[in-house]
Amino acid sequence: MINSSQLKYLQFEEAQPQGTQGAKVPVACGHRRMLNRMVGGQDAMEGEWPWQVSIQRNGSHFCGGSLITKQWVLTAAHCFSNTSETSLYRVLLGARQLQQPGPHAIYARVKRVESNPLYQGMASSADVALVELEAPVIFTNYILPVCVPDPSVTFETNMNCWVTGWGSPSEQDRLPNPRILQKLAVPIIDTPKCNLLYSTDTESGFQPKAIKDDMLCAGFAEGKKDACKGDSGGPLVCLVNQAWVQAGVISWGEGCARRNRPGVYIRVTSHHNWIHRIIPDLRFQSGRAGGH
């Protein structure tokens, strides 16, 4: 009889899709198989965002992330103040609910965390980290990688993208159990407009926060819908040539869903070289972002 603690860390070979008889099925990134931190969002469906992961410390969810290869997760550097204590962390993959992850979900141990060395604290540039899992996962209908764009991919203003996470539904509230993954459609906001929004209604004596070159804004000037606490590190994804490509990593915002304070994300393309250095065999997605 396998007890639950053993079951959680069984090797991932059990997760082969049915009918493959152990054959290696080539997997294209950014294609979900099940379907052809959110404020004002809606419940995600089973298998809808198969790259979304929950990063947990001592068994509690604290940040989101995205699976980009069999063994690597992309997230935010600010999620990890202590990158040496890898035994405290685990990554939940293939889940829709946090409380009862269900039969499609697995837990993975963390081997190491690589934070971008240029990161200098909250709301600074380079708020990205890569988490290496102890063992490679087997891709299933519920566990698949998102595409990582190369610098040729541009995410144009007003392009409609999606942000996902298990974060709080507002600044005050916590998401009630079973904590179902939330999704929210958000348009890209160009950087000059975003800087303008962040400089309005600034408290006297405070320097407005600047949107740096490696940041990307998405959301609504009027507020009401946004990523929130606990969504940090999760993906902002856009449909590019029929594949889901990660445009940004949830980084910061002033409060959640406040007027003139849209969500701020780290641009994945800005850190292409650093990602490539850590994961040399990662294939990047090229092409122009044109579709919705």
Side-chain angles (χ1 to χ4, degrees):
M1 187 77 183
I2 298 173
N3 68 33
S4 60
S5 64
Q6 285 174 301
L7 189 63
K8 283 175 187 169
Y9 296 108
L10 273 178
Q11 285 304 300
F12 306 120
E13 284 79 7
E14 302 295 324
Q16 278 283 26
Q18 290 166 338
T20 58
Q21 282 88 39
K24 289 200 172 175
V25 182
V27 173
C29 63
H31 289 275
R32 48 196 185 197
R33 293 177 178 166
M34 299 307 291
L35 302 156
N36 289 327
R37 113 185 174 153
M38 299 306 115
V39 182
Q42 57 200 115
D43 291 357
M45 289 181 279
E46 201 76 58
E48 189 176 4
W49 310 103
W51 39 82
Q52 175 77 46
V53 308
S54 162
I55 302 176
Q56 305 188 353
R57 183 172 48 222
N58 294 325
S60 295
H61 168 85
F62 68 96
C63 269
S66 53
L67 189 67
I68 58 171
T69 74
K70 286 183 177 180
Q71 209 160 348
W72 287 94
V73 164
L74 178 62
T75 186
H78 79 256
C79 293
F80 293 97
S81 52
N82 188 349
T83 55
S84 57
E85 293 278 326
T86 53
S87 60
L88 299 178
Y89 302 113
R90 63 181 186 175
V91 176
L92 175 63
L93 305 99
R96 177 176 174 256
Q97 295 181 180
L98 289 185
Q99 296 303 110
Q100 297 123 358
H104 307 300
I106 57 167
Y107 286 102
R109 296 179 197 269
V110 171
K111 183 176 178 181
R112 69 174 161 138
V113 177
E114 290 277 352
S115 287
N116 192 309
L118 300 177
Y119 176 63
Q120 295 182 324
M122 276 301 283
S124 90
S125 287
D127 185 11
V128 283
L130 288 163
V131 177
E132 186 178 14
L133 307 179
E134 208 165 71
V137 297
I138 298 290
F139 295 142
T140 70
N141 287 346
Y142 304 91
I143 300 172
L144 291 167
V146 69
C147 297
V148 181
D150 76 14
S152 73
V153 181
T154 56
F155 299 96
E156 286 149 15
T157 303
N158 296 324
M159 186 176 181
N160 217 17
C161 301
W162 288 83
V163 59
T164 47
W166 285 281
S168 312
S170 78
E171 283 185 65
Q172 287 76 34
D173 304 330
R174 294 179 68 82
L175 201 62
N177 291 337
R179 295 188 70 179
I180 294 169
L181 182 66
Q182 298 294 291
K183 62 179 179 179
L184 176 67
V186 285
I188 302 285
I189 297 174
D190 71 61
T191 299
K193 182 181 177 184
C194 194
N195 267 317
L196 197 62
L197 291 173
Y198 266 90
S199 65
T200 57
D201 313 322
T202 310
E203 292 176 47
S204 58
F206 281 89
Q207 189 71 19
K209 292 191 176 85
I211 310 304
K212 311 281 189 355
D213 288 346
D214 74 333
M215 296 176 185
L216 181 70
C217 294
F220 303 91
E222 67 271 21
K224 299 194 178 75
K225 298 177 180 182
D226 196 6
C228 202
K229 295 187 295 287
D231 289 323
S232 283
L236 170 74
V237 299
C238 312
L239 202 52
V240 179
N241 302 333
Q242 277 84 56
W244 289 97
V245 176
Q246 184 165 348
V249 174
I250 300 172
S251 180
W252 61 276
E254 217 165 87
C256 305
R258 291 187 193 171
R259 185 175 172 79
N260 296 327
R261 298 294 186 268
V264 184
Y265 303 79
I266 295 297
R267 267 179 206 275
V268 175
T269 52
S270 297
H271 298 284
H272 171 270
N273 290 345
W274 174 74
I275 295 169
H276 185 55
R277 198 161 62 244
I278 305 291
I279 317 172
D281 56 349
L282 174 63
R283 287 186 183 173
F284 292 82
Q285 185 82 0
S286 62
R288 191 168 172 77
H292 287 311

